Amino acid sequence: MLGTLLSILILGAMISAVYALIAIGFTMIFGVGGVLNLAHGALIMIGAFAYLGLTSTGGMLSLPPMVGFVIAVAVSAGASYAMYAGLVQFIEENVVITFLATVVLALLATELVTFWFGTDPYQLVPLVAGSLHLENVGTRVRYMELLGFVISWIAIGLLWYYVTQTDEGRSILATSMSERGAQLTGVDLDFVKSRTWLIAGAFAGIAGVFLGSLLSTYPVMWLNPLAIAFIIVVIGGIGSIKGSVVAAYLIGYLETVTIQFLGSSFQGIFSLVVLVVVLLVLPQGLYGREFVHE
């Protein structure tokens, strides 16, 4: 029993940290630009497949895993920036068109990856191999899981420092609170939004490599994480980084316990129940704010 509890504690902490990365990127883009970016999930898949192409023994480069990881994150961040600079910035005033355009981009990316890699699942080369066997409690923890937790929290911590301790970071927070107010103080909105898309893409790339390594990598691997990120963002409060982290741990542990005791077929059911309860009691989410017309 102790081994099961410890396994839930460790696995829940790791998967929650990765969920938090995805949700933070998703909520930042909505908070700053008001864009419901459904292509955010595709960036997770792009990060995982970029890592696969760079590090697999059958690939053209077969780079060391850590080098491949850094480049894959950069590829995902670049793809996110390209989405904004090449399309979204020209249509973001129309919410419906932007929403549909991100759906089309996600589907297009999925089709391109399917064309190149097929539909069969791949197992990524782990950044660190091996596992830690805690014999006293009968639990084995993969080093990859521990690394996923550490890197996720380093990324979240750096973002937290950036948006609270630097002028450039504070401009992102200011824009998320009031776009008009930020403009009046001299904030360059296009620059802020570009940085936000870059950060969100990098976070999605990190999450993609770890999800692809710990589970499996296939073209539609992004659907479930995107749905979970949407639930987390709504529960935590749209636009709130703090809310996304808290809600990510709530949903991460809830899903871990559900899978452990009820099986994977029940995954997502209780998260939807929590979502409905939160929407009924706190429509703006745990740390959200009511939206007003500027």
Side-chain angles (χ1 to χ4, degrees):
M1 186 63 182
L2 180 60
T4 301
L5 292 176
L6 188 59
S7 177
I8 291 173
L9 183 67
I10 295 172
L11 185 59
M14 187 284 298
I15 198 69
S16 299
V18 176
Y19 283 171
L21 277 184
I22 301 170
I24 286 172
F26 191 74
T27 201
M28 282 180 67
I29 288 178
F30 186 86
V32 170
V35 175
L36 190 60
N37 178 26
L38 292 191
H40 189 67
L43 296 171
I44 298 170
M45 177 263 296
I46 289 173
F49 273 96
Y51 180 80
L52 172 69
L54 291 165
T55 61
S56 67
T57 54
M60 292 184 292
L61 299 176
S62 299
L63 297 175
M66 192 54 70
V67 176
F69 171 69
V70 173
I71 297 176
V73 171
V75 168
S76 185
S80 181
Y81 175 79
M83 284 183 194
Y84 175 73
L87 177 63
V88 173
Q89 68 169 331
F90 303 109
I91 59 174
E92 61 183 335
E93 296 300 325
N94 189 319
V95 176
V96 175
I97 294 297
T98 307
F99 173 80
L100 294 175
T102 60
V103 174
V104 171
L105 286 175
L107 295 176
L108 179 61
T110 304
E111 290 300 322
L112 289 174
V113 169
T114 302
F115 175 78
W116 275 102
F117 294 92
T119 57
D120 293 336
Y122 291 88
Q123 194 66 44
L124 299 182
V125 177
L127 283 168
V128 287
S131 60
L132 176 65
H133 188 198
L134 304 174
E135 296 182 0
N136 293 335
V137 292
T139 297
R140 187 181 297 275
V141 182
R142 285 182 284 178
Y143 291 131
M144 193 65 186
E145 294 173 347
L146 296 175
L147 186 64
F149 174 80
V150 171
I151 289 183
S152 295
W153 269 106
I154 288 175
I156 294 171
L158 290 174
L159 176 65
W160 191 262
Y161 178 84
Y162 180 64
V163 299
T164 59
Q165 302 299 320
T166 69
D167 290 339
E168 285 191 358
R170 292 191 189 100
S171 66
I172 293 177
L173 274 184
T175 305
S176 71
M177 293 175 182
S178 171
E179 190 170 306
R180 181 181 297 177
Q183 270 185 311
L184 292 174
T185 59
V187 171
D188 184 341
L189 292 183
D190 288 337
F191 188 47
V192 167
K193 291 176 182 178
S194 298
R195 278 181 288 148
T196 304
W197 280 75
L198 269 173
I199 294 170
F203 276 24
I206 295 172
V209 172
F210 282 104
L211 287 177
S213 299
L214 296 170
L215 302 173
S216 59
T217 300
Y218 51 100
V220 292
M221 61 177 285
W222 54 274
L223 289 174
N224 192 48
L226 180 65
I228 292 174
F230 184 77
I231 292 173
I232 289 171
V233 166
V234 174
I235 292 175
I238 295 175
S240 170
I241 295 176
K242 178 181 178 182
S244 292
V245 174
V246 173
Y249 272 82
L250 173 64
I251 296 302
Y253 271 109
L254 181 60
E255 295 227 333
T256 304
V257 171
T258 300
I259 293 172
Q260 180 68 40
F261 292 106
L262 299 178
S264 58
S265 59
F266 287 86
Q267 184 181 13
I269 294 177
F270 294 103
S271 299
L272 290 174
V273 172
V274 173
L275 174 64
V276 171
V277 172
V278 170
L279 286 176
L280 290 174
V281 179
L282 290 170
Q284 71 275 20
L286 298 176
Y287 295 94
R289 60 184 185 277
E290 294 183 4
F291 289 93
V292 297
H293 295 290
E294 295 189 45

